[in-house]
Amino acid sequence: MTQRRSANSEAAIGNRTRAIATMSPGEARGQNKKLKRSGSMPWWQRFGLAVILPVLFVIVWQYVASTGSFGGGMLPTFTDSVEALRVWMFGQAGDSYFAGGWLASLGASALRVFSGFSIGAVLAITLGLFSGVSQNVRGMVDPFITILRPISVTAWVPMALIIFGIGYAPAIFLTALGTFFPVYVATLAGVRYSEGSLVHAARMLGANKRQTLLRVTLPATLPSIATGMRVAAGIAWTCVVVAEMLGAKSGLGYTLILAYNQFQFDYIAAAMASIGAAGYLTDKLIEQLIQRRLRWAMTTS
């Protein structure tokens, strides 16, 4: 009886395997979507799990700030911070010094993040690709980058202010610097891991170095590059806030330090919430772009 069940099970597995092997590409993609849907949670369950910690955080924050347990009573409550954010976004000039300036601050910070992130990512991907495929380039570039990588962005602020002065330039430089390192490391690792059977097969088929780099190595490295860019997006927002706090006259970071100097701590919380929301939306935007461009990678994984 046991042998018969085992034989039946093996026959069933063989039939399913042959069925999958003979599927057309369209049928395979449809089957993959069904499997993903069957293994995923409904949207309401995902939403419920996602809001548990934020709701608990808000409750504890409101209680601690209302009772004055920490910060000597200067810690703003959640409701005061929400009101400050409302005035900052929609208020009139007479309501507060910060009234109505939220969009301009967000736009200034977003422009710096986009500029610095783009510059840093392009340089990192370029150097990472060439360092991965060429031992000479890697031997020349990688040690120098490894020396610079442990130096925090904050340590670069005085030098950036000396070179670029106060304004957009130092913030863009620091953001590009913070973006560069995680994207470079991810790109280099992706290239070195992809240098295997695919590259050898392409060379055996007669592909030259340029064709191998653009048609084989780069596509195989894209998932690693995408991961590095998601990490770098969060770092970019951190860098731009640091730069704006110390060397700018606009942006979310400038508003944060200005509110601190004026003892308007509810606006500090409003600025922190805005920075977090902007970073979250940036990450989700990159994630959506990755899912569209790298659908083939997720299908085969």
Side-chain angles (χ1 to χ4, degrees):
M1 181 65 71
T2 304
Q3 293 179 350
R4 184 179 300 173
R5 289 179 178 175
S6 177
N8 292 337
S9 177
E10 291 178 359
I13 293 172
N15 292 333
R16 287 196 295 268
T17 303
R18 283 191 294 273
I20 293 172
T22 56
M23 282 182 180
S24 66
E27 292 173 338
R29 285 193 293 269
Q31 185 69 17
N32 187 55
K33 290 180 180 178
K34 289 180 180 179
L35 291 173
K36 286 185 177 181
R37 284 197 296 268
S38 63
S40 62
M41 293 185 296
W43 69 268
W44 55 267
Q45 189 174 356
R46 293 197 303 269
F47 177 78
L49 291 173
V51 300
I52 290 175
L53 285 179
V55 169
L56 290 176
F57 175 77
V58 167
I59 293 173
V60 174
W61 174 12
Q62 182 70 21
Y63 173 77
V64 169
S66 300
T67 58
S69 304
F70 293 97
M74 291 188 295
L75 182 67
T77 63
F78 172 74
T79 52
D80 290 341
S81 301
V82 171
E83 175 61 19
L85 181 60
R86 185 196 67 79
V87 173
W88 189 18
M89 295 176 70
F90 308 111
Q92 301 298 321
D95 297 335
S96 169
Y97 177 80
F98 302 100
W102 180 82
L103 188 60
S105 297
L106 177 64
S109 296
L111 178 61
R112 292 172 179 131
V113 167
F114 177 78
S115 302
F117 182 84
S118 300
I119 294 170
V122 169
L123 290 176
I125 293 170
T126 303
L127 278 178
L129 284 173
F130 285 110
S131 296
V133 299
S134 171
Q135 292 184 355
N136 292 331
V137 175
R138 184 165 65 250
M140 179 177 63
V141 172
D142 195 59
F144 182 66
I145 293 177
T146 304
I147 293 173
L148 295 179
R149 190 153 51 93
I151 304 174
S152 68
V153 173
T154 309
W156 282 95
V157 171
M159 194 66 66
L161 293 177
I162 292 172
I163 297 173
F164 299 106
I166 294 176
Y168 273 83
I172 293 174
F173 167 75
L174 294 173
T175 305
L177 190 68
T179 300
F180 176 86
F181 295 115
V183 178
Y184 169 81
V185 171
T187 303
L188 178 60
V191 172
R192 300 194 67 180
Y193 283 125
S194 68
E195 288 281 307
S197 57
L198 289 176
V199 173
H200 294 314
R203 289 172 180 170
M204 290 178 63
L205 292 172
N208 56 36
K209 290 184 179 181
R210 179 178 175 276
Q211 292 172 330
T212 302
L213 177 65
L214 297 179
R215 299 293 181 88
V216 180
T217 303
L218 180 58
T221 310
L222 285 178
S224 296
I225 294 174
T227 301
M229 290 180 69
R230 287 191 65 185
V231 174
I235 297 176
W237 277 101
T238 303
C239 294
V240 81
V241 170
V242 171
E244 289 173 349
M245 290 176 65
L246 300 176
K249 294 297 183 181
S250 61
L252 296 175
Y254 172 74
T255 302
L256 193 151
I257 195 64
L258 187 62
Y260 173 78
N261 292 332
Q262 296 183 4
F263 298 97
Q264 298 193 34
F265 302 121
D266 47 355
Y267 282 93
I268 294 178
M272 293 173 65
S274 300
I275 295 164
Y280 176 83
L281 292 176
T282 303
D283 179 77
K284 289 302 177 184
L285 177 61
I286 294 175
E287 184 181 17
Q288 290 298 317
L289 293 175
I290 291 170
Q291 288 179 354
R292 291 185 179 183
R293 297 297 182 182
L294 302 183
R295 191 174 298 169
W296 57 269
M298 294 183 293
T299 302
T300 57
S301 62

